[in-house]
């Protein structure tokens, strides 16, 4: 499968990201909470419009729990055990009855039956996993027809000085658990190849447009067969 990429830098290795986020876990809420707030809230708002049972891939420390409400039932997963431990402590306060559970899980091999969820949310995740297409395939598998996959990320700027800087920073950023050079074209290529999902929204998130919200809808079975 051919993919449009801005450079030849390989996808992140899992053990590198696990180490990075184990280091981030004690400071994540304080440092990353405010930085990611606009994107986090935009993703949760989109998920609330879908409603029902939500899988949050990359739940981290559970910062997003308060962004959902009684219209949703949330299951959270993350590859980082230290992050999940903090999410479990947050859940144990009893302040989030709409959150069913959180667990350590590999997003490339989700331990859920097909069509289990009404919506899958991945905030600041898909650009950092070792196999983004495999993760997206799993997201599409566990969401019901008519349900949505909602992504929020910084995506590669593709042109101008910002694009040049993102490429220069790509390698050193990996050790910090960041990836500034991931292009939207790779998501679009995945959707076209998959055949059972449709892009329904792509928009920058206000106020600065640093992050992009991307929504895919899982097609009904008959529509997916027709598109194949």
């Amino acid at each position: 499968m051919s993919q449009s990429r801005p450079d030849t830098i390989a996808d992140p290795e899992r053990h590198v990201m696990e180490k990075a986020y184990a280091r981030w876990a004690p400071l994540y809420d304080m440092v990353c909470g405010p930085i990611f707030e606009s994107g986090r809230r935009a993703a949760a708002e989109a998920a609330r419009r879908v409603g029902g049972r939500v899988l949050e891939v990359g739940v981290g420390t559970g910062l997003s729990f308060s962004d959902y409400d009684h219209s949703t039932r949330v299951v959270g997963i993350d590859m980082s055990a230290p992050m999940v431990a903090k999410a479990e402590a947050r859940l144990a306060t009893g302040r989030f009855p709409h959150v069913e559970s959180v667990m350590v899980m590999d997003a490339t091999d989700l331990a859920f039956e097909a069509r289990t969820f009404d919506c899958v949310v991945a905030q600041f995740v898909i650009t950092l996993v070792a196999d983004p297409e495999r993760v997206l395939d799993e997201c599409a598998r566990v969401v019901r027809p008519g349900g949505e996959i909602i992504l929020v990320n910084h995506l590669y700027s593709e042109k101008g000085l910002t694009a040049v800087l993102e490429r220069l920073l790509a390698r050193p950023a990996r050790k910090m658990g960041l990836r500034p050079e991931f292009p939207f074209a790779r998501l679009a290529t995945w959707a076209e190849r998959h055949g059972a999902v449709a892009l329904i929204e792509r928009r920058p998130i206000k106020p600065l447009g640093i992050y992009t919200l991307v929504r895919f809808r899982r097609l009904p079975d008959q529509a997916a067969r027709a598109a194949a």
Side-chain angles (χ1 to χ4, degrees), residues 6-215:
D7 52 42
T8 57
I9 298 174
D11 289 335
E13 296 181 19
R14 174 171 174 163
H15 74 277
V16 173
M17 290 299 157
E18 286 180 335
K19 288 181 179 178
Y21 280 90
R23 292 193 298 268
W24 272 113
L27 302 172
Y28 188 86
D29 290 6
M30 180 176 63
V31 176
C32 296
I35 294 173
F36 293 155
E37 184 176 38
S38 62
R40 192 180 72 236
R41 289 185 173 177
E45 180 183 4
R48 292 198 309 270
R49 290 198 297 268
V50 178
R53 199 162 186 234
V54 177
L55 174 64
E56 183 163 316
V57 176
V59 70
T61 65
L63 269 176
S64 64
F65 290 169
S66 59
D67 299 322
Y68 296 97
D69 60 22
H70 66 277
S71 67
T72 57
R73 303 185 310 281
V74 179
V75 175
I77 68 161
D78 202 288
M79 70 174 182
S80 172
M83 289 283 199
V84 169
K86 291 183 73 69
E88 288 174 334
R90 181 173 262 118
L91 184 57
T93 65
R95 294 187 290 119
F96 309 104
H98 53 278
V99 179
E100 293 183 7
S101 61
V102 292
M103 61 197 80
V104 177
M105 189 180 294
D106 183 354
T108 65
D109 187 19
L110 295 175
F112 302 110
E113 296 293 328
R115 309 181 183 204
T116 300
F117 297 95
D118 297 287
C119 182
V120 178
V121 175
Q123 305 171 22
F124 308 104
V125 169
I126 204 65
T127 65
L128 300 177
V129 294
D131 190 344
E133 287 78 16
R134 174 64 183 271
V135 171
L136 289 166
D137 284 344
E138 281 291 274
C139 291
R141 180 182 67 80
V142 301
V143 76
R144 63 168 175 80
E148 294 187 13
I149 301 169
I150 300 169
L151 312 176
V152 168
N153 268 103
H154 168 74
L155 298 175
Y156 179 62
S157 299
E158 299 181 359
K159 60 183 179 181
L161 179 60
T162 303
V164 174
L165 291 173
E166 287 169 351
R167 293 181 70 177
L168 289 173
L169 292 171
R171 291 185 187 278
R174 294 296 175 86
K175 293 182 179 180
M176 297 175 63
L178 303 173
R179 187 184 190 183
E181 84 293 356
F182 192 99
F184 170 77
R186 191 162 174 185
L187 300 178
T189 298
W190 166 78
E192 182 178 359
R193 189 256 322 155
H194 188 278
V197 296
L199 175 68
I200 57 174
E201 185 178 18
R202 174 194 179 187
R203 64 175 169 88
I205 296 171
K206 296 179 180 179
L208 301 177
I210 297 172
Y211 308 127
T212 299
L213 177 76
V214 178
R215 294 168 54 220

